[in-house]
């Protein structure tokens, strides 16, 4: 519930930022509608095509039960336990160790793991990873990220409009006198997209905590996932999965974390914090 509240609060903060910059940039509603409309159309396309795009970016290949019986049956067993449809199962041809889930809802979902993760994780740790990804599907985290991306995209678009106004003269509508401070306009142009990105990444981090907690309860073995995260982080630092940074929030582990600025601009919380939460859940389960 705490993570759910944080997600709602962060989405509200994003929306508030959008309203604030819209009020600053545009006197009327016409430009606002155009800006949000363009961002929404772009992200709506990404939303409906997100599974295909993500799988293509990572070159994931579908596998059947005969091709990967152990992995396929594990996904099938955990899906039945979670009472969701069986997602597509994919393998990424990479020796780095990572995994992700994609799809707009449980009926249109896929779970992908790398060859590397299959090679280094024992069965109980791999089960924790799969349960984590299935929890993302159950929680519809891709929908949450799509909403956040839409609002953040609208903020960036409006900030770009504002930067153009600096060059071509005039900020906002006829009755808008807030454009008289060039320094304020410049700060808005620079800081608004950064703030939107930070909030968007913070939303992603809260969803990781929720997925870890859901996986711990789905498997009943939080310590196995904790060990897996530690092992995956060590491996990812040596051999990161090379792909478009826009798709990094999908991965179960992102090695760019551990320091303040690293955490601030990371789509994942620090592994140490995730492990600490999992060990607390283990104590709750045993109590």
């Amino acid at each position: 519930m705490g993570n759910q509240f944080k997600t709602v609060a962060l989405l509200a903060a994003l929306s508030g930022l959008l309203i604030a910059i819209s009020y600053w940039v545009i006197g009327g509603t016409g430009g606002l509608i155009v800006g949000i409309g363009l961002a929404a159309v772009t992200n709506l396309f990404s939303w409906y095509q997100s599974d295909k795009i993500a799988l293509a970016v990572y070159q994931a290949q579908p596998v059947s039960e005969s091709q990967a019986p152990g992995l396929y049956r594990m996904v099938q067993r955990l899906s039945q336990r979670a009472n969701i449809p069986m997602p597509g199962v994919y393998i990424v041809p990479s020796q780095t160790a990572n995994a992700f889930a994609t799809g707009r809802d449980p009926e249109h979902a896929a779970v992908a793991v790398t060859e590397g993760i299959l090679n280094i994780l024992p069965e109980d740790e791999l089960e924790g990873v799969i349960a984590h990804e299935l929890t993302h599907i159950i929680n519809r985290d891709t929908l949450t990220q799509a909403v956040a991306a839409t609002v953040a995209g609208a903020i960036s678009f409006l900030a770009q409009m504002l930067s153009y106004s600096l060059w071509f003269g005039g900020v906002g509508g006829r009755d808008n006198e807030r454009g008289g401070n060039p320094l304020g306009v410049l700060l808005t142009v620079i800081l608004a997209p950064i703030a939107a990105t930070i909030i968007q990444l913070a939303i992603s981090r809260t969803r990781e905590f929720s997925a870890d907690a859901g996986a711990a309860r789905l498997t009943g073995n939080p310590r196995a996932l904790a060990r897996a995260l530690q092992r995956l982080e060590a491996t990812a630092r040596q051999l990161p999965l090379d792909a478009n940074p826009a798709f990094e929030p999908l991965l179960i582990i992102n090695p760019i974390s551990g320091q303040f600025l690293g955490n601030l601009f990371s789509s994942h919380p620090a592994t140490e914090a995730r492990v600490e939460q999992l060990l607390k859940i283990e104590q709750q389960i045993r109590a």
Side-chain angles (χ1 to χ4, degrees):
M1 288 300 296
N3 287 327
Q4 294 286 356
F5 177 79
K6 289 178 184 177
T7 300
V8 171
L10 288 165
L11 283 172
L14 259 184
S15 300
L17 184 59
L18 174 61
I19 294 170
I21 190 173
S22 301
Y23 181 75
W24 179 272
V25 175
I26 302 167
T29 58
L32 176 62
I33 293 172
V34 171
I36 295 177
L38 286 175
V41 168
T42 301
N43 286 281
L44 190 63
F45 172 80
S46 298
W47 162 240
Y48 279 105
Q49 299 297 321
S50 61
D51 52 345
K52 298 181 180 64
I53 295 172
L55 293 169
V57 164
Y58 289 113
Q59 300 179 342
Q61 302 299 317
V63 293
S64 62
E65 184 174 4
S66 61
Q67 293 172 310
L71 173 64
Y72 191 95
R73 291 167 189 166
M74 182 181 291
V75 175
Q76 187 177 53
R77 181 175 67 253
L78 289 171
S79 298
Q80 291 173 347
R81 190 180 302 173
N83 196 29
I84 61 171
M86 171 77 174
V89 181
Y90 290 75
I91 291 180
V92 177
S94 171
Q95 289 309 306
T96 190
N98 226 311
F100 67 91
T102 186
R104 62 183 182 269
D105 54 45
E107 287 71 34
H108 303 85
V111 171
V113 300
T114 63
E115 293 176 345
I117 203 172
L118 295 175
N119 293 333
I120 72 166
L121 290 189
E123 184 175 351
D124 62 336
E125 294 181 17
L126 180 61
E127 186 178 65
V129 169
I130 298 299
H132 172 99
E133 300 306 334
L134 291 178
T135 303
H136 275 310
I137 294 172
I138 295 168
N139 292 344
R140 289 172 168 80
D141 288 335
T142 49
L143 174 59
T144 301
Q145 292 296 340
V147 172
T150 299
V151 179
I155 290 170
S156 297
F157 180 86
L158 291 172
Q160 188 176 33
M161 288 176 57
L162 185 56
S163 69
Y164 290 156
S165 72
L166 289 176
W167 293 101
F168 297 106
V171 180
R174 292 187 303 270
D175 299 327
N176 190 354
E177 298 178 356
R178 293 174 297 279
N181 185 348
L183 179 59
V185 174
L186 182 61
L187 288 175
T188 302
V189 168
I190 296 172
L191 296 180
I194 294 176
T197 299
I198 291 173
I199 296 172
Q200 184 183 356
L201 293 175
I203 291 171
S204 177
R205 291 192 291 273
T206 64
R207 306 321 302 154
E208 289 303 312
F209 279 125
S210 292
D212 287 343
R217 292 184 169 87
L218 183 59
T219 63
N221 190 359
R223 189 173 290 270
L225 178 56
R227 290 196 304 266
L229 292 175
Q230 293 171 324
R231 199 188 306 267
L232 292 176
E233 181 184 40
T235 304
R237 289 184 183 277
Q238 300 173 357
L239 187 63
L241 188 58
D242 185 22
N244 190 318
F247 292 92
E248 285 181 358
L250 294 178
L251 302 174
I252 189 171
I253 200 78
N254 180 355
I256 306 175
S257 63
Q259 302 296 328
F260 173 72
L261 288 179
N263 288 335
L264 190 64
F265 290 98
S266 173
S267 57
H268 292 61
T271 300
E272 293 83 359
R274 298 172 70 179
V275 169
E276 182 180 355
Q277 175 190 255
L278 286 166
L279 296 182
K280 288 181 180 178
I281 294 174
E282 182 183 52
Q283 293 177 350
Q284 295 170 2
I285 291 175
R286 291 182 175 179

